[in-house]
Amino acid sequence: MSSHTSPFQRAERQHVPTPHDPIVEAREIEVKALLKTVTEPILNTDIVSLGMVRNLRIVDNYVYLRLYVGKHQQDLKAEIVSLLSSLEWCKKSYVEICTIAGVRTTIAVSSGKGGVGKSTTAVNLAAALRSQGNKVGLLDADVYGPNVPQMLGLAQSEVKVIDTPSGQRFIPLEAHGIKVMSVGLLAAPDHPLAWRGPVLHKIITQFIQEVEWGDLDYLLIDLPPGTGDAQITIVQESPICGVILVTTPQQVAVADVRRSIHMFRRVGIPVLGIIENMSYLLCGHCGTPNPIFGSGGGQQLADELQSPLLGQVPIDAKICTGGDIGTPLTLSEPDSAVGQVFSKIAIALNTTFATSNLDKHQEERVLIS
């Protein structure tokens, strides 16, 4: 009988687990405990729970980690280095700052599934933040359905590239005072974006690291729906300080959002709140709200996550028209029911992140009037 292994059978290989080093494990626990004493002053939460500390490694007597921050948080590096120097065994710590140059606060807008109005929400939220005096950028990272350029009237525009001391950089386009970059601007019209694996990863990384945004108060990142490679890459490679989840009232959408929540929790990204889109239809005669797609889904998620329900956006045909013609309803009709909801959400974000732009904008309006 032949002793060779059949090509149709896989040889059984004994899996040998990598031995754990109890000293390294103990030191990792010690380092994390120290880092949890460092509090981010705006969100009043420790930097580990906020997902700002990533890729922590202990090699011999050295500590390596990445610190994901906004432009106003870079002083945290000195605090961390000083804190880790108190460890008797630590010869030196290496803290790599990961940031998007000029950007103060980076927020992801996510959904568990497509078709819930995530991009529409991102566009109108960007418009509301801009209307309140903030400098706003919108990164359309939805590689499967990059609709933001059309929603802002930039469908046929071209992206320019410039040379800088740090290398080549994309120059974002601008619409309604919002700086915009989208994967849709790099592809031929009506052609599918058939990017996979390393190519997809490289493109997404370039969009995060190689765009010359200038000074921004907020950068909103419109994530692809779901929890695939593209979403994970964006979350891991960018200094996102929190995510806003978009859902609709029905249970099918809520179930899919729960899957996204697990991805964000795995990397320590906090959920800033829930936006329930298509919440109700206002009767044209009496103004009574009619819950066309059911009710309670957004509040249910908010209760589960112990996160605020930021707003319930009504169904309005004008919001679709605004997206088609490139003028968000929040800008064209700020006093509409939709505009008021997004305005309140923007005020909540300004309050959370302690920006003073709202007061400045109100002062400007008083002076103008």
Side-chain angles (χ1 to χ4, degrees):
M1 184 176 178
S2 174
S3 61
H4 72 271
T5 303
S6 167
F8 300 104
Q9 296 177 352
R10 300 185 67 178
E12 294 293 332
R13 296 183 181 179
Q14 185 175 2
H15 175 68
V16 180
T18 303
H20 295 287
D21 187 331
I23 295 178
V24 172
E25 290 184 347
R27 287 179 174 179
E28 284 184 358
I29 293 172
E30 189 177 9
V31 168
K32 287 181 179 178
L34 267 182
L35 294 175
K36 284 188 174 182
T37 65
V38 180
T39 300
E40 201 286 321
I42 293 177
L43 296 176
N44 197 31
T45 305
D46 71 88
I47 59 175
V48 175
S49 299
L50 289 173
M52 297 172 68
V53 176
R54 306 178 198 171
N55 302 92
L56 173 63
R57 292 186 298 122
I58 311 294
V59 180
D60 297 328
N61 295 322
Y62 301 90
V63 179
Y64 301 83
L65 63 89
R66 286 183 175 181
L67 183 65
Y68 286 75
V69 294
K71 69 177 183 180
H72 63 298
Q73 299 167 319
Q74 299 195 25
D75 291 344
L76 290 171
K77 176 180 178 178
E79 184 178 351
I80 291 170
V81 170
S82 175
L83 193 63
L84 294 178
S85 66
S86 66
L87 296 169
E88 292 183 0
W89 54 267
C90 181
K91 292 183 178 179
K92 191 173 183 180
S93 59
Y94 295 87
V95 178
E96 179 186 356
I97 289 286
C98 297
T99 189
I100 299 177
V103 178
R104 187 176 191 275
T105 302
T106 303
I107 299 174
V109 181
S110 178
S111 67
K113 60 180 296 180
V116 299
K118 172 182 54 62
S119 295
T120 299
T121 297
V123 165
N124 280 274
L125 181 55
L129 287 167
R130 181 68 190 94
S131 295
Q132 294 176 1
N134 296 288
K135 297 176 181 178
V136 181
L138 177 54
L139 173 57
D140 179 10
D142 190 344
V143 294
Y144 308 117
N147 299 316
V148 167
Q150 179 177 348
M151 291 180 177
L152 288 172
L154 296 171
Q156 304 301 320
S157 304
E158 293 185 0
V159 177
K160 294 182 180 179
V161 178
I162 63 169
D163 292 317
T164 72
S166 303
Q168 290 189 326
R169 294 290 185 268
F170 295 107
I171 298 298
L173 303 176
E174 189 166 325
H176 308 292
I178 302 166
K179 292 185 177 181
V180 182
M181 182 57 64
S182 170
V183 293
L185 296 171
L186 302 182
D190 303 323
H191 281 223
L193 303 180
W195 297 329
R196 298 176 62 188
V199 174
L200 179 64
H201 180 92
K202 180 176 177 57
I203 290 171
I204 291 174
T205 303
Q206 282 184 306
F207 265 61
I208 295 170
Q209 300 175 353
E210 299 178 13
V211 176
E212 196 73 16
W213 290 106
D215 288 331
L216 293 181
D217 296 305
Y218 292 99
L219 175 62
L220 302 183
I221 301 181
D222 181 17
L223 293 179
T227 54
D229 286 346
Q231 296 88 335
I232 294 171
T233 297
I234 296 166
V235 169
Q236 290 180 335
E237 297 293 335
S238 59
I240 295 172
C241 67
V243 59
I244 293 174
L245 296 173
V246 181
T247 186
T248 50
Q250 67 265 45
Q251 290 300 311
V252 171
V254 170
D256 286 332
V257 170
R258 285 196 186 97
R259 297 184 180 93
S260 295
I261 292 168
H262 290 299
M263 178 186 72
F264 292 114
R265 283 179 171 172
R266 189 174 300 169
V267 294
I269 303 296
V271 176
L272 300 176
I274 313 295
I275 295 178
E276 184 182 81
N277 195 28
M278 308 181 200
S279 294
Y280 53 88
L281 175 67
L282 289 173
C283 176
H285 298 287
C286 64
T288 302
N290 297 305
I292 303 296
F293 297 116
S295 62
Q299 188 61 58
Q300 180 183 342
L301 274 176
D303 293 341
E304 289 180 11
L305 296 173
Q306 295 184 335
S307 295
L309 179 61
L310 296 174
Q312 294 174 294
V313 183
I315 300 170
D316 190 330
K318 292 180 181 178
I319 200 170
C320 299
T321 303
D324 290 340
I325 65 175
T327 304
L329 182 60
T330 299
L331 289 180
S332 61
E333 297 186 30
D335 294 328
S336 64
V338 170
Q340 290 178 12
V341 170
F342 280 108
S343 178
K344 290 178 181 178
I345 296 171
I347 291 171
L349 290 176
N350 283 330
T351 301
T352 299
F353 294 102
T355 65
S356 59
N357 295 305
L358 178 59
D359 294 332
K360 291 179 182 177
H361 182 61
Q362 288 175 337
E363 289 175 3
E364 288 173 0
R365 286 195 296 181
V366 170
L367 292 173
I368 292 171
S369 60

